[in-house]
Every structure is written in structure tokens, then in C-alpha cells.
Amino acid sequence: MEAFLNPKDSAKFITENSQYVYVEKDGVRKVAGMLFDKVLEKDFSVAGWKSSHELNPQVVSEDAVNWVFLVDTLNFSFWSECEDLKCLVKYKDKMYSGYWSLCAAVNRALDEGIPITSASYYATMTLEQVRHAFRSDTDVPMPLLEDRHHVLNETGTILLEKFGGSFLTCVKQSGKSAKKLVQLIVENFPSFRDESTFQGTKVAFYKRAQILVADTWSVLEGKGDGCFSDISSVTIFADYRIPQVLVHLGAMKYSEELIKKLKEGMKLYSGDKQEVEIRGCSIWCCELICNHLLDLYKKKGKNMSEKINAVLLDYYLWDYARDHREDMKGIPFHRIRCIYY
């Protein structure tokens, strides 16, 4: 059976054969230049995952690892059909939208005494319990609640049967290898198998599997069981926000046909040629940005391979997209409803 290309090789292959999405080399250099000083800031570091985001666990513990596992199991499809009508979750007197509405809902459930991060609980959650735990504080529900219910039951059951109910057991089995941990996640948990076919070649993105590895690295502060020496093997997490910010910054470009389609609000489907190109080119574009950044520092006599990687670049660009949403309004994101991102 033909194996899937890993995300990095998939991205390179897709970019080399792309018809609707283009990586702009001058734009890549421009973005690398823009980030040159940023990489020295705390936000562009593993510490920034905690210090910049109050909803993330702030301690190193097995419970924190299981929080990360639950959240990344459900880390998909938060965009709103209408900008004025959103799912919002109130937590500690603050309203959260998008991905943060999920984190807020998890923390709210824990505060209410619901053992939401326990596999033995979510393996048997009913749809009504899921609807209650992830309820919105507006009339707009969190998207894909039935899918989230199925994924929770399936993932919780597997975590109990194969890893004693704790994701930390799975982390330990990786032997401190990010690449091995991605492999373990994809092999054991079906909902993380974010794969497709492009021009007859099997390609993979593994957005949620890779962000789960990255967030595990971050919550463990890159130490102990989370000391992944090969963290640079992980690519950016190809979703619907990162491509938007790359186009906004000029590092990537859409064909007129594709931009017209996106501006009209047409939905793409998982595995569509254009959807695959958007995701693949985004990954490869960010690989080139990282490489160019490393080269810029190398010319200054500095080896920054410990401080520059796709994980930290993704974290930075994702926060940049959130903070510059108004500036990016002219660039549409690709609309898709699926469990992969």
C-alpha cells in the first residue's frame, strides 16, 4: 500500500504542481525581514503560549497535558457564517469567540465540576451533555456539535483502551520525538487522519495531530517528556486563518478565479483541488519563511535553529491574524466545514 507523504513533503509537492495558489518569493523575503526582530521577543517563544493566552493551562502537569489533548481533539471549524452572529462563550466576565470559545467552554465546565478532560467521562458523554458543556452564550451554537460528540466518544474510548486514559502515556511512548508522536496520534486516533490525494499522490496535512504535538511541547515548556529535539520536523498547522494572513502579507497569492470564488463566499470541500493547494502552499510558504529567517541570522553569525521553527511561526501568525482582523477584511478565508481544521 502506498504511504502518504509527510506534511512537509506533501507541501513541497503541492506547491510545485499548484494551479490556483502561488508562493511569492519576494513576499517570503519581506515577511522574514518583518519577523527578524520579532523572533527575539517573548511572544515568539515556547513561553509565549502560556504568557500570552490566559485560558491555556499555566502549570506543568498530567492534567494540563490531558486538557491539551481534549482541546486539540475538538480543535476544528470555529468560523462564523455571519460576522455579526457568532458563537460566544462567557468565562470570568469575558466573552470569547472562535477557538477561544472552546477553551473557555472547557474551563467553564471544569469550574462547574464537570470532569470534561477525563477520558472516562467524555468517552460516554451523551449529545445532550456535549450541548450543555459547549453551550453558547448567544443564539448561535458552536458548529458541528454532533461531530464533536462522535469524536469525543471515539477518542475517549481509544485513549482508555490503549493508553490507560491519559495522553501523557502516549507522549512517553514517543521517546521525546515529535515525529514519532505525530505518527502515534495518527495511527491510533482516526479523527486526526487529515489526508487527501493530489494529482494521484497521497498527501497529508495532519493539522490537529501536529498542533497537539506543538501544544504538548508548549504546555510542558519543552522540558521532560516534552523535550522534543526534533520539534522542527513539525510544520505549520494548515487551517483557514494562516493562508489568509499569508496572502495579506504578500507571501502567497491566489488566482483571480479562486479569489473570486472565495469573495463570493462559496464553500470548499475537504479534498477539493483548490482547498488542498491552499493548505499545501501555506505549509511550504512558512517553511521558506523559516529557512529565510535562519539564513538572515546565519549571515549575522548567529545559529537560531533552537529559536526559529514552524510551530512558533504558526503561533505568531495566528495571533497576528486575530489582532489584524480589520486590516485583513479584504482577503477572504476559505470556508469549509470538516473535523480536520
Side-chain angles (χ1 to χ4, degrees):
M1 192 172 109
E2 185 192 353
F4 286 86
L5 292 178
N6 66 42
K8 205 172 283 191
D9 290 341
S10 294
K12 186 172 188 288
F13 174 73
I14 292 163
T15 303
E16 288 169 349
N17 294 279
S18 180
Q19 288 178 279
Y20 300 98
V21 186
Y22 322 105
V23 173
E24 300 284 275
K25 289 182 180 176
D26 287 344
V28 164
R29 284 192 285 270
K30 187 188 91 174
V31 173
M34 178 189 94
L35 294 174
F36 186 80
D37 293 325
K38 301 285 184 191
V39 301
L40 300 174
E41 296 174 5
K42 190 177 182 182
D43 286 350
F44 204 104
S45 73
V46 69
W49 187 86
K50 291 183 178 181
S51 63
S52 301
H53 305 109
E54 71 272 10
L55 294 177
N56 287 342
Q58 300 298 308
V59 296
V60 174
S61 68
E62 185 170 7
D63 285 345
V65 171
N66 285 322
W67 184 98
V68 162
F69 180 72
L70 171 72
V71 165
D72 284 330
T73 292
L74 298 174
N75 188 351
F76 55 84
S77 202
F78 298 106
W79 58 271
S80 306
E81 297 281 350
C82 177
E83 195 61 29
D84 299 328
L85 298 169
K86 292 182 176 182
C87 165
L88 297 174
V89 172
K90 188 176 184 181
Y91 181 67
K92 292 188 175 176
D93 297 323
K94 186 175 174 181
M95 286 289 202
Y96 294 92
S97 64
Y99 163 75
W100 295 113
S101 67
L102 170 70
C103 300
V106 169
N107 289 350
R108 178 181 64 188
L110 289 170
D111 287 357
E112 290 172 351
I114 300 170
I116 192 75
T117 57
S118 169
S120 58
Y121 178 75
Y122 60 79
T124 58
M125 277 182 93
T126 65
L127 181 56
E128 282 311 305
Q129 287 174 318
V130 170
R131 284 191 174 123
H132 174 73
F134 299 101
R135 67 193 181 277
S136 173
D137 285 298
T138 68
D139 293 333
V140 181
M142 191 175 287
L144 304 182
L145 280 174
E146 290 83 1
D147 295 273
R148 296 181 199 279
H149 174 233
H150 170 74
V151 167
L152 278 170
N153 286 174
E154 176 185 77
T155 306
T157 300
I158 294 167
L159 194 65
L160 287 166
E161 290 176 353
K162 295 189 174 183
F163 301 101
S166 176
F167 184 61
L168 188 59
T169 304
C170 186
V171 174
K172 288 178 183 292
Q173 287 183 19
S174 74
K176 300 182 182 178
S177 166
K179 194 181 288 187
K180 175 67 176 171
L181 186 52
V182 169
Q183 190 182 339
L184 279 167
I185 294 162
V186 172
E187 283 176 357
N188 287 286
F189 302 100
S191 75
F192 286 86
R193 291 173 197 156
D194 179 8
E195 300 160 340
S196 192
T197 301
F198 183 75
Q199 295 194 356
T201 297
K202 292 181 175 181
V203 294
F205 302 104
Y206 300 145
K207 182 260 183 180
R208 287 198 295 111
Q210 291 200 112
I211 203 169
L212 173 53
V213 171
D215 288 349
T216 300
W217 176 64
S218 298
V219 79
L220 294 176
E221 299 172 0
K223 300 170 187 171
D225 293 313
C227 181
F228 303 133
S229 58
D230 60 347
I231 193 66
S232 61
S233 66
V234 174
T235 72
I236 61 122
F237 325 122
D239 64 358
Y240 45 87
R241 286 295 176 204
I242 297 297
Q244 184 189 27
V245 73
L246 291 172
V247 173
H248 169 71
L249 293 171
M252 213 164 74
K253 186 180 175 184
Y254 293 153
S255 70
E256 286 186 20
E257 181 185 339
L258 178 56
I259 199 86
K260 181 174 182 287
K261 193 174 185 178
L262 298 181
K263 281 185 173 177
E264 288 170 355
M266 289 180 68
K267 281 186 188 172
L268 302 181
Y269 294 92
S270 188
D272 279 355
K273 181 173 170 55
Q274 291 171 333
E275 184 255 359
V276 170
E277 287 188 11
I278 290 170
R279 300 184 77 200
C281 289
S282 297
I283 292 173
W284 193 244
C285 183
C286 288
E287 287 299 311
L288 296 178
I289 291 169
C290 280
N291 291 341
H292 198 66
L293 260 172
L294 288 166
D295 285 344
L296 287 174
Y297 272 101
K298 196 173 180 181
K299 286 172 184 171
K300 298 272 187 184
K302 289 184 179 179
N303 179 355
M304 295 287 280
S305 57
E306 297 291 313
K307 292 187 179 291
I308 295 171
N309 58 52
V311 171
L312 298 176
L313 177 61
D314 185 287
Y315 286 167
Y316 181 85
L317 290 176
W318 198 84
D319 285 345
Y320 180 97
R322 178 199 60 197
D323 297 339
H324 294 80
R325 195 155 290 181
E326 283 300 312
D327 302 337
M328 301 197 314
K329 269 192 170 174
I331 309 293
F333 64 88
H334 66 287
R335 292 167 170 257
I336 179 170
R337 287 283 182 219
C338 68
I339 67 166
Y340 300 117
Y341 64 102

